[in-house]
Amino acid sequence: MIVQEMLAQEKAQSSTSVNQEVDLDELMDHPELEKLHADRIAALKKEAEKREALKRQGHGEYREISEGDFLGEVTGSEKVVCHFYHKEFYRCKVMDKHLKALASKHLDTKFIKLDAENAPFFVTKLAVKTLPCVLIFN
């Protein structure tokens, strides 16, 4: 008698799980779910295109620029981090290491460096007094 009750319970559970599977199959074909799926794929494609456009503008890498390129680089992007450095200063080399690591993680920000010796105009205009000096332009 106990065996029959256990078999009946197992049978009831298996029929419930079959009903749940049918419900999931019906949901997968639901037009609203398909629309959400299509919208998400479109959003991911748009995000990938934006990342590629930013990479073409020099985002995602840490590179050196000249004084003549400074205004174009800074005004060409929404967020820019600029490191004024001296090639012989140890602390500038440490800052380079950290900014290089950050550049690859933050694609929405452009990371550049400028040799302070070769950019006297901007060093004066931006009142750079000590090195390393990191300026953020937004």
Side-chain angles (χ1 to χ4, degrees):
M1 190 139 211
I2 296 176
V3 174
Q4 289 177 347
E5 288 176 14
M6 290 176 64
L7 287 173
Q9 286 177 353
E10 285 180 22
K11 198 174 194 180
Q13 287 176 354
S14 66
S15 67
T16 332
S17 66
V18 168
N19 288 341
Q20 289 174 350
E21 288 176 19
V22 170
D23 292 340
L24 290 176
D25 288 338
E26 289 175 11
L27 284 176
M28 294 303 285
D29 295 333
H30 201 275
E32 285 184 32
L33 185 62
E34 290 177 10
K35 183 183 180 311
L36 286 172
H37 186 257
D39 290 347
R40 181 64 181 147
I41 288 176
L44 287 173
K45 285 182 181 178
K46 186 176 180 180
E47 194 174 307
E49 289 171 3
K50 182 181 177 184
R51 264 186 278 142
E52 287 301 316
L54 288 173
K55 282 184 179 182
R56 284 192 297 274
Q57 291 178 353
H59 292 249
E61 62 184 6
Y62 180 59
R63 58 193 170 82
E64 185 171 355
I65 61 166
S66 66
E67 184 177 31
D69 298 335
F70 182 76
L71 283 177
E73 293 285 342
V74 171
T75 58
S77 294
E78 186 178 333
K79 298 176 186 174
V80 180
V81 173
C82 181
H83 174 216
F84 285 85
Y85 77 101
H86 189 282
K87 60 185 170 226
E88 295 178 11
F89 289 4
Y90 174 75
R91 290 180 186 261
C92 292
K93 292 176 185 175
V94 171
M95 184 64 73
D96 271 348
K97 181 183 83 169
H98 291 293
L99 290 176
K100 188 173 186 177
L102 287 172
S104 61
K105 293 179 184 177
H106 298 278
L107 284 178
D108 58 332
T109 304
K110 184 185 286 188
F111 288 81
I112 55 176
K113 64 180 180 176
L114 184 62
D115 190 349
E117 279 187 323
N118 298 332
F121 177 76
F122 289 111
V123 168
T124 306
K125 284 293 183 187
L126 297 171
V128 175
K129 302 290 184 201
T130 58
L131 295 178
C133 179
V134 177
L135 298 176
I136 300 170
F137 299 93
N138 192 1

